[in-house]
Amino acid sequence: MRLLADVDTGIDDALALCWLAAREDVDLVGVSTTSGNTTARQAAENSLAVLEICGVDGVEVCVGTPAPLVVPASTTPETHGDHGLGNATLPQTRGSLSSRGFLDLWLDELRAHPGETTLLVTGPLTNLAAALRAEPGLPELLARVVIMGGSFDHPGNTTPTAEWNSWVDPHAAAEAYAAWEGKPADRLPIVCSLGVTERIVITPERLAELITGAGPDPQRPQVLALIADALEFYFDFHAEYGYGRLAQVHDLFAAMVALDAVPWPAMTTWVGVETTSELTRGTTVRDARNLWRRTPNARVVTDTDPDRVWELFRDDLTRLVNRPAPPGNSARGA
């Protein structure tokens, strides 16, 4: 599968990138970033470093839109750490960030391969809205879009009703969903929202299982050190906010949905986003009973198998860290 990843690389985005790097059934044709978990620039630096740690070189990483369409930029160091990856220390990268804008990357790839590329968005929808403004035909150029965002009939994680990505740039989210209204049902965005993603968790016990199962070498491979140091910070954050000592890894699930690697039953429905009320800013609404008779614009994932998500991540990461390094590349599994 050809895949463009649009991320705001904090901890769970990093795990999603690690998992994608472990897969042999995906062609990661580019990475772009938005401000959300951290700044767009820091997210790009994090993304490049994570891919290199996983042994993936040559993927173009572009710094995307630095601020939301209307509201001021927000980041969340209390959740993801000062640099977005918790306690992890990243090595100096061998490659460099792209000198061109994300829009050039997207449009070059999509126009050269119309209808063949999946877009995975795990941060605010700022880049997607900006791209739709520049190219209204974007829905036809994409094979499909998978979004991590929103909360439906479920408490928010930023305000009582709003999920972080939708709250950071509600205007972008509203524009993005509106762009797919009236499109064929099988091309509508697939939305992974909190009601499902908060069930996707890694615990300290599961982290220990991953590290122990990766092999007998007592020196942790670099990718496992990254994951462990990032997750230790994430465990502390979730414990402080009353979730228990665990890590909810929302973006990892969205990546698995993008590759159809796990079950994702979904409801085809109309979705809207609140942009004008500060009280409910970023709140996502789905018309589950079709009371407004609006044409659907999204497919909201309603369930999955959380244990399968963990098992797939564990098994694929174990293969990644035990994969021999290609000649001249010492990063693979290093």
Side-chain angles (χ1 to χ4, degrees), residues 72-97:
S74 299
T75 59
T76 182
E78 68 276 13
T79 307
H80 293 271
D82 290 340
H83 302 290
L85 293 180
N87 299 326
T89 300
L90 297 177
Q92 182 68 38
T93 55
R94 300 181 298 277
S96 301
L97 300 178

Side-chain angles (χ1 to χ4, degrees), residues 11-12 20 44 52 71 78 83 89 116 127 134 150 153 162 166 183 189 210 220-221 227 235 243 278 306 317-318:
I11 295 168
D12 54 333
L20 290 170
E52 289 190 358
V71 298
E78 68 276 13
H83 302 290
T89 300
E116 299 177 13
N127 285 343
D153 307 318
S166 297
K183 305 299 182 185
L210 174 64
R220 285 183 187 173
I227 291 170
F235 293 154
Y243 293 94
E278 196 55 37
L317 262 292
T318 299

